[in-house]
Amino acid sequence: MARAKSLQALRSGVQIVGYETDTPGEEPALLLADDGDVQRRALQPGERLELSLKQRHCAGTIDGSGDTLRHLACDAQQAPYCPQHTDRWPCARCTGDCDLPLSTCREEHAVYLAAFAPATFKVGVTRSWRLETRLREQGADRAAHIRTVENGRIARQIEADIATDVGDRVRVPTKIEGLHRTVDADAWADLLAGYDPIATYTFDYGLDIDDRPVVETMATGTIRGSKGRVLVLERAGSTYAVDMRQLIGYDVGRQAASRQLQSSLSAFE
């Protein structure tokens, strides 16, 4: 997603309308809309995030690019998006039985395997030049580039074949369950033994978590970091994992939230 202008001061009528993950050249951020303007709230480790969640409704849409992003609001009650503003990506469930409907389908593609701690694996495809970005967007702990092909149709056919054994989706709750763990090296090696990787990757998101965080939907706390679309916050001695997609659509206030939250066991040690 294109970068929006830096966050200045929050005023009334602010809505969370998107997020940016920690990818090469980009820092993670929440995208906040205020009367049509789109502003970035960078998510720097060690900083305090103090937004209180209010009502949630459709996040509308963002138009433009660079520093000229504009938000078009929508008051529909469906969240994060109403049917009119739901993005229906034609490649989401493609298995290669297509006529290359998008110009991007004709670009060179990479087929990869990704690992999520401790031992959840998936196959995926992306345009070759976006490989590392795509892996970090998903919060992969390890990955292997296993094929390079001339277009997306061939890549999807290979993906569909491998997916019968490996799978091609990992849900966010599964990723959160492994935030405090490391990849099972033996299981990963066993998987890669059946392939001849072109390159392998290991990612470190700097979270330094000893226990599984509590799952919450909130935007108040000290930022520990992020991994893909999962934001990790510390508050009152407990660590929380927030799926940033679950924040999209909320109107927010600039004061810290004060509601009681479930605490982790480590808060009482």
Side-chain angles (χ1 to χ4, degrees):
M1 181 179 293
R3 294 177 66 90
K5 65 182 181 180
S6 298
L7 179 66
Q8 300 298 322
L10 288 177
R11 301 182 297 274
S12 60
V14 179
Q15 184 185 27
I16 299 175
V17 295
Y19 60 87
E20 294 174 344
T21 58
D22 181 9
T23 55
E26 299 284 346
E27 60 185 357
L30 293 177
L31 298 182
L32 308 177
D34 185 357
D35 194 25
D37 291 332
V38 179
Q39 307 168 333
R40 301 180 74 257
R41 196 329 179 166
L43 301 172
Q44 293 282 2
E47 290 187 357
R48 284 284 299 175
L49 181 65
E50 296 187 342
L51 300 175
S52 57
L53 304 182
K54 299 181 178 180
Q55 293 183 332
R56 194 184 190 203
H57 57 93
C58 177
T61 188
I62 298 174
D63 283 343
S65 61
D67 290 333
T68 61
L69 294 183
R70 294 292 294 173
H71 175 246
L72 302 177
C74 177
D75 59 4
Q77 293 304 302
Q78 297 96 326
Y81 301 103
C82 69
Q84 179 181 350
H85 293 115
T86 298
D87 184 15
R88 294 175 175 83
W89 185 40
C91 298
R93 301 308 301 162
C94 175
T95 58
D97 183 18
C98 67
D99 58 355
L100 302 172
L102 304 177
S103 61
T104 54
C105 298
R106 296 174 173 80
E107 295 182 35
E108 180 184 270
H109 276 61
V111 182
Y112 63 83
L113 296 171
F116 302 85
T120 299
F121 311 121
K122 63 157 286 188
V123 62
V125 305
T126 187
R127 286 172 286 171
S128 293
W129 64 271
R130 289 197 81 249
L131 179 56
E132 185 175 346
T133 294
R134 182 60 182 145
L135 292 168
R136 292 187 68 91
E137 285 175 345
Q138 297 179 77
D141 292 298
R142 296 192 187 185
H145 178 188
I146 58 173
R147 291 284 300 274
T148 301
V149 295
E150 64 184 80
N151 60 52
R153 179 168 59 197
I154 298 172
R156 289 294 185 181
Q157 291 169 348
I158 296 171
E159 178 191 40
D161 182 54
I162 297 175
T164 59
D165 296 321
V166 179
D168 59 3
R169 284 189 174 185
V170 180
R171 298 175 62 249
V172 171
T174 300
K175 297 176 183 180
I176 291 175
E177 288 176 1
L179 279 179
H180 62 300
R181 304 182 67 179
T182 59
V183 172
D184 183 326
D186 291 336
W188 179 236
D190 288 345
L191 176 62
L192 294 189
Y195 302 90
D196 185 15
I198 298 169
T200 58
Y201 303 83
T202 299
F203 298 101
D204 181 2
Y205 300 88
L207 296 179
D208 192 25
I209 298 174
D210 295 325
D211 302 299
R212 186 174 69 181
V214 179
V215 178
E216 265 288 356
T217 300
M218 67 178 194
T220 292
T222 300
I223 300 167
R224 292 286 296 268
S226 64
K227 184 179 181 183
R229 76 188 212 198
V230 178
L231 172 65
V232 180
L233 299 174
E234 187 173 300
R235 180 173 167 188
S238 292
T239 304
Y240 298 91
V242 182
D243 181 352
M244 288 191 282
R245 181 172 171 79
Q246 298 302 317
L247 296 178
I248 295 177
Y250 274 104
D251 293 327
V252 296
R254 58 183 172 184
Q255 71 279 10
S258 58
R259 68 184 179 90
Q260 295 296 313
L261 300 170
Q262 178 183 346
S263 298
S264 62
L265 293 177
S266 60
F268 301 99
E269 294 177 355

